[in-house]
Amino acid sequence: MDRYEQVIELAKRRGFLWNSFELYGGTAGFYDYGPLGSTLKRRIEQIWREIYVIQEGFMEIECPTIGIEEVFIASGHVGGFSDPLCECKQCGEAFRADHLIKHIVEEADGLSNEELDSIIAQHNVKCPECGGEFGKTYEFNLMFKTQIGPGNGRKGYLRPETAQGMFVDFLRLARYYRDKLPFGATQIGKSYRNEISPRQGVIRLREFTQAEAEIFIDPRNKKHPNIQRFENTLLNLYSDEAQDMGESQIMTVKEAVSKGIIAHEFLAYQVALVNHFLQRVGISPDKLRFRQHRKDEMAHYAIDCWDAEILTERFGWVEVVGIADRTDYDLSAHANMSKTELSIYIEYEQPRMVEKFVIRPNMGKMGPVFKGKAKLIAEALKALPKEAFENDEIKVSVDGEIFIVPRDMVEFAHETIKVSGENIVPHVIEPSFGIDRIFYALLEHAYDEEVVSTKDSVEHNDEETRIVLRFKKEVSPVNVAVLPLLTRQELIEPSKEIANRLREKGLLVAYDDSGTIGRRYRRNDEIGTPYCVTIDYDTLKDGTVTIRDRDSMQQVRAEVATIEEVLYDMIYRDKKFETAGKPV
RNA sequence: GCGCCGAUGGUCUAGCGGCUAUGACUGGGGCCUUCCAAGCCCUAAACCCGGGUUCGAAUCCCGGUUGGCGCACCA
């Protein structure tokens, strides 16, 4: 069994991850999060919220998981997702069917699959790799399609990313933030991609959870006001250049910016923030790197793009976060599609006096001549370039009709006007997290097997393996296990009382009185519970309990009276275990 | 979507045409128990689905589902 299998086996057994629809045989690409899994996932998301929503101030919004067709036409997903593919029967190589016949037909992209098939057959197109014959063309679309409403209602798609919702709401968001850049919005939610062949467990899913932030910034100023926070933070960077050499480099954020390795300060801050988040939830720093997209793999509109990658035993480096400067691509695309300006008005510090060529149609003269069309013609005149007014007669076209306007019907002049600002289309910085992948990486990095001696190891010379999930305390799905040492009424009652007090404090508590104490400790090690509180007969005498530390298996005796504060502080406030009570 | 290999209680597994289907661990109940998977008793729990071959199929064949690997794909 390799590490992946061990982790998945444990996750299945203990209620972290289950195959969806198992009762009916299961379906690839879908996973259920069990009781501990959904708790762990929620705690990861909660830390993400704390960082992005509360600290950075990028408010969370919630958009539908179904989007209408226009949204995905604008975003490029409709076009970019439905490539006609066909495969060579001989070597299995897949090709874009329309590309294969480009040299035969002019407009190859508009053709149906059947038309493509017949052209391929007619012209006897063979596989460029091996000369083999092609199979049928099929549609390759990663979006789930659906119908909104009955009959011939609107076409809809399950969203392939949460990002579009935030672009579509841009004007509302800008208003909410009182038209001041930079601002950002975030969304945590499900996205859907109908993967051809999902594998690798939770690494590639058809329904998955994304946490995305869309940060709108002034394209002329990509500095970050709070960059000093991370200036000296060390990042493991696998830059375009480093990839040529095959080795990543560790350097400070400051250095990465000043050497131009990361395109600009704002992006560098985001890379550092991702680094901070991943380590806080429990990713090992030595299994984390940031890989820059190569020039040829980067989307054409992006300036710079970095993936956070996490090292896993079976899958190698797995991309878990993408951080990109998407420029004004998305806003411009939606502006075009919706015919609505998506920009922010930015006032200059000082109003500027600008020379301008002004056109003033004389409506007194034009009205009698052009009657009802006069107004439209005047509008069209205003849109003409300066050169159009050099002749005596000005040609202008309105609704396909050409009008000749005598020059003396129009006045024009160079004027100096006051301009106090301009409309700017913000650039978008997008950190996009795959929560499910982070979840898996966390399990794998937390998983540990340790050889320990058992109770009767002296007699039997026995050793056994202890499985421990070494979760960070603030993410582990159970904070504290409360265990009566023996299954006896006089111990069970005070135990339940203590458990209730811890719950009132907001801690995630598991109460367990079945089996021997050793068995219960191991059970809790396996699900990563950082502390176990055990109630014994001394508790009844002197009001103390033992607290056992998951990682060291050491125990201290602590006062029952303040037990909830002590545990809370150890879990959330970095209080040291040794200070919790007297060593046992 | 193609090729190769697999699928047996919750988990891991034995089985190789002749069952009433191994075993371990886990789970539940009990006895005993004063801190790291102790012991004893009891108990629950499985042949992925559908066809076929055969007197007889967990076992052989076909199809599907599903998992792994390779190819392709990953906007």
Side-chain angles (χ1 to χ4, degrees):
Chain A
M1 262 216 285
D2 71 356
R3 182 49 56 90
Y4 171 81
E5 279 175 273
Q6 290 171 317
V7 169
I8 291 296
E9 189 268 307
L10 172 63
K12 204 188 273 181
R13 197 156 41 79
R14 289 297 184 193
F16 287 91
L17 286 176
W18 298 322
N19 271 110
S20 296
F21 319 120
E22 220 177 1
L23 184 61
Y24 293 103
T27 296
F30 297 96
Y31 268 86
D32 291 354
Y33 284 87
L36 293 178
S38 31
T39 307
L40 175 61
K41 178 164 174 275
R42 197 175 61 245
R43 305 200 92 203
I44 296 169
E45 290 166 4
Q46 203 44 44
I47 290 172
W48 195 90
R49 280 193 179 92
E50 214 172 279
I51 292 175
Y52 283 87
V53 181
I54 297 172
Q55 286 171 24
E56 295 294 312
F58 306 141
M59 298 301 281
E60 190 175 356
I61 66 169
E62 189 175 318
C63 304
T65 54
I66 294 179
I68 59 170
E69 194 177 24
E70 288 90 327
V71 171
F72 301 115
I73 292 175
S75 69
H77 286 101
V78 168
F81 258 14
S82 32
D83 297 334
L85 284 194
C86 70
E87 285 174 14
C88 171
K89 284 177 180 169
Q90 194 171 302
C91 68
E93 195 85 16
F95 299 91
R96 285 272 300 262
D98 52 339
H99 287 184
L100 285 168
I101 57 164
K102 240 183 186 154
H103 59 286
I104 303 168
V105 195
E106 284 283 313
E107 291 290 308
D109 9 354
L111 299 173
S112 71
N113 291 347
E114 289 73 28
E115 288 168 318
L116 288 165
D117 278 340
S118 70
I119 293 169
I120 288 170
Q122 265 172 37
H123 292 81
N124 203 20
V125 178
K126 297 289 185 206
C127 172
E129 287 292 316
C130 71
E133 207 163 307
F134 280 115
K136 273 201 155 195
T137 299
Y138 60 91
E139 204 61 29
F140 179 74
N141 195 332
L142 258 60
M143 278 199 294
F144 284 100
K145 203 174 198 172
T146 187
Q147 195 78 22
I148 303 170
N152 49 356
R154 283 183 102 148
K155 260 188 218 167
Y157 296 94
L158 296 197
R159 64 182 180 195
E161 58 177 25
T162 66
Q164 297 307 321
M166 294 175 280
F167 298 135
V168 169
D169 280 346
F170 173 77
L171 289 176
R172 291 286 182 192
L173 286 166
R175 185 74 175 168
Y176 173 85
Y177 285 105
R178 296 194 304 280
D179 297 315
K180 288 222 170 49
L181 293 175
F183 65 82
T186 55
Q187 210 171 167
I188 301 180
K190 294 287 186 114
S191 292
Y192 303 82
R193 298 177 192 188
N194 202 359
E195 299 285 353
I196 296 172
S197 166
R199 285 175 195 177
Q200 309 171 325
V202 101
I203 302 290
R204 169 160 286 188
L205 293 171
R206 290 189 165 122
E207 171 173 328
F208 55 101
T209 299
Q210 284 188 310
E212 294 191 296
E214 306 302 327
I215 311 163
F216 301 98
I217 65 170
D218 187 335
R220 301 162 306 180
N221 175 16
K222 294 189 173 179
K223 296 227 169 288
H224 196 285
N226 203 16
I227 190 72
Q228 74 282 352
R229 174 182 174 195
F230 290 125
E231 247 175 10
N232 297 315
T233 299
L234 291 169
L235 296 175
N236 186 15
L237 296 181
Y238 197 37
S239 66
D240 191 21
E241 244 176 63
Q243 286 169 63
D244 284 332
M245 303 185 300
E247 204 174 320
S248 61
Q249 312 158 274
I250 293 176
M251 67 176 77
T252 62
V253 170
K254 195 188 218 169
E255 199 183 346
V257 173
S258 67
K259 285 188 173 166
I261 291 170
I262 300 179
H264 51 80
E265 229 178 53
F266 205 98
L267 196 63
Y269 181 93
Q270 297 308 325
V271 172
L273 196 62
V274 168
N275 181 64
H276 167 73
F277 165 77
L278 290 175
Q279 294 193 23
R280 180 163 157 198
V281 296
I283 297 301
S284 323
D286 55 328
K287 292 178 183 168
L288 171 62
R289 73 177 183 196
F290 291 88
R291 191 183 69 83
Q292 187 170 39
H293 278 208
R294 311 296 304 244
K295 289 190 180 69
D296 56 347
E297 79 180 287
M298 197 152 44
H300 63 277
Y301 48 82
I303 287 176
D304 193 11
C305 185
W306 292 79
D307 287 340
E309 297 184 327
I310 296 178
L311 188 60
T312 62
E313 301 226 348
R314 183 185 279 194
F315 310 119
W317 290 99
V318 173
E319 174 197 344
V320 299
V321 187
I323 312 147
D325 182 337
R326 299 176 60 91
T327 67
D328 62 359
Y329 176 80
D330 303 279
L331 287 179
S332 296
H334 283 293
N336 279 335
M337 186 74 195
S338 64
K339 301 194 169 56
T340 305
E341 191 172 349
L342 299 179
S343 63
I344 290 272
Y345 181 76
I346 298 182
E347 245 177 67
Y348 299 135
E349 279 175 34
Q350 293 287 325
R352 293 180 196 168
M353 305 311 283
V354 177
E355 284 263 307
K356 212 179 164 187
F357 181 68
V358 187
I359 297 151
R360 275 205 209 89
N362 186 329
M363 295 311 281
K365 288 183 180 171
M366 281 176 63
V369 178
F370 297 110
K371 310 270 178 359
K373 295 264 164 96
K375 192 167 185 202
L376 289 171
I377 294 168
E379 291 301 319
L381 283 172
K382 284 185 192 169
L384 290 176
K386 192 176 172 181
E387 295 72 38
F389 299 92
E390 282 163 5
N391 300 324
D392 286 344
E393 290 182 335
I394 305 148
K395 275 189 197 167
V396 65
S397 127
V398 174
D399 296 335
E401 207 177 331
I402 305 285
F403 295 92
I404 308 289
V405 182
R407 191 174 163 170
D408 65 353
M409 283 191 183
V410 187
E411 287 162 26
F412 35 77
H414 288 275
E415 276 184 13
T416 305
I417 51 172
K418 189 173 97 175
V419 180
S420 43
E422 66 183 299
N423 287 316
I424 297 269
V425 181
H427 279 194
V428 170
I429 309 298
E430 178 196 77
S432 170
F433 295 68
I435 297 294
D436 313 87
R437 290 180 173 190
I438 293 170
F439 179 98
Y440 172 74
L442 222 60
L443 284 180
E444 196 183 292
H445 288 192
Y447 187 97
D448 192 21
E449 285 180 359
E450 169 178 88
V451 175
V452 291
S453 52
T454 58
K455 199 176 189 176
D456 45 14
S457 57
V458 187
E459 301 143 48
H460 297 95
N461 201 13
D462 250 3
E463 276 180 336
E464 65 158 340
T465 309
R466 181 174 83 119
I467 297 175
V468 197
L469 288 184
R470 300 192 194 274
F471 287 136
K472 284 279 174 82
K473 290 167 204 154
E474 65 168 334
V475 302
S476 70
V478 175
N479 289 335
V480 187
V482 177
L483 317 168
L485 182 63
L486 302 168
T487 319
R488 290 209 171 144
Q489 210 48 39
E490 63 267 30
L491 296 180
I492 288 173
E493 269 167 32
S495 300
K496 289 191 165 164
E497 240 167 74
I498 290 172
N500 281 335
R501 272 173 50 206
L502 298 177
R503 289 191 181 111
E504 271 166 41
K505 183 78 185 171
L507 295 170
L508 298 165
V509 178
Y511 170 86
D512 187 356
D513 62 15
S514 72
T516 62
I517 190 67
R519 188 186 294 274
R520 283 176 277 161
Y521 284 150
R522 294 305 166 80
R523 263 206 285 260
N524 278 288
D525 288 340
E526 242 186 42
I527 62 169
T529 308
Y531 299 112
C532 292
V533 167
T534 303
I535 289 83
D536 59 14
Y537 282 97
D538 289 350
T539 312
L540 306 182
K541 272 186 267 165
D542 63 6
T544 62
V545 291
T546 62
I547 304 176
R548 170 193 181 265
D549 176 58
R550 174 194 69 200
D551 293 334
S552 64
M553 303 202 289
Q554 296 298 303
Q555 285 180 298
V556 295
R557 279 207 91 83
E559 298 288 327
V560 173
T562 54
I563 191 75
E564 62 265 64
E565 278 80 23
V566 167
L567 283 165
Y568 188 92
D569 288 353
M570 284 197 293
I571 291 160
Y572 293 113
R573 299 253 159 84
D574 263 351
K575 180 180 171 67
K576 294 273 172 288
F577 173 69
E578 297 73 39
T579 67
K582 294 194 191 99
V584 175

